[in-house]
Amino acid sequence: QVQLTESGGGLVQPGGSLRLSCAASGNIFSIISMAWFRQAPGKRRELVARTSGGTTNYADSVKGRFTISRDDIKRTASLQMNSLKPEDTAVYYCHATVKVLTMDSWDYWGQGTQVTVSS
């Protein structure tokens, strides 16, 4: 079994910054990709940023403001969010595609962390 534990959400004023962190633990052989998704009330979950094999990609709405990083030794991923806007308000979910000890690959989700951007 693999667990993803998120931290770092909270309330921030427009223009402010937050950093989200996600730590993977459990029966991990290797991590193929890590990503952050978000879901605002009444909207579907959307990809925010992903890192895989040294490549990163971002949603157009966050390009230039958000940065995803990954530490393969610590098995963590972070999302640095700058110049936050009210429309960034959502529950943010960590996602990982993991090769487990049986050599199968599975997708895992964190429990979600609330980010609220409001004055």
Side-chain angles (χ1 to χ4, degrees):
Q1 193 58 277
V2 173
Q3 297 81 37
L4 300 180
T5 304
E6 299 144 340
S7 61
L11 173 65
V12 65
Q13 292 186 342
S17 298
L18 278 177
R19 185 177 182 88
L20 306 182
S21 296
C22 174
S25 61
N27 298 327
I28 298 171
F29 178 80
S30 65
I31 298 177
I32 298 169
S33 68
M34 296 191 79
W36 290 92
F37 287 73
R38 68 185 180 187
Q39 187 168 19
K43 295 187 177 181
R44 64 178 181 175
R45 193 171 296 188
E46 63 174 357
L47 175 67
V48 176
R50 172 183 281 124
T51 175
S52 176
T55 300
T56 58
N57 58 284
Y58 297 89
D60 288 342
S61 59
V62 306
K63 283 180 181 176
R65 301 188 298 122
F66 291 11
T67 302
I68 188 170
S69 59
R70 177 175 158 182
D71 186 325
D72 286 334
I73 295 175
K74 295 181 179 179
R75 294 175 174 172
T76 60
S78 297
L79 184 69
Q80 178 66 41
M81 305 185 293
N82 299 327
S83 303
L84 282 160
K85 305 175 181 180
E87 51 264 43
D88 294 318
T89 296
V91 177
Y92 284 70
Y93 296 91
C94 179
H95 173 274
T97 300
V98 175
K99 182 175 288 187
V100 296
L101 298 180
T102 60
M103 298 296 115
D104 296 317
S105 296
W106 299 95
D107 290 333
Y108 294 93
W109 292 92
Q111 78 282 1
T113 185
Q114 177 70 46
V115 171
T116 303
V117 185
S118 175
S119 55

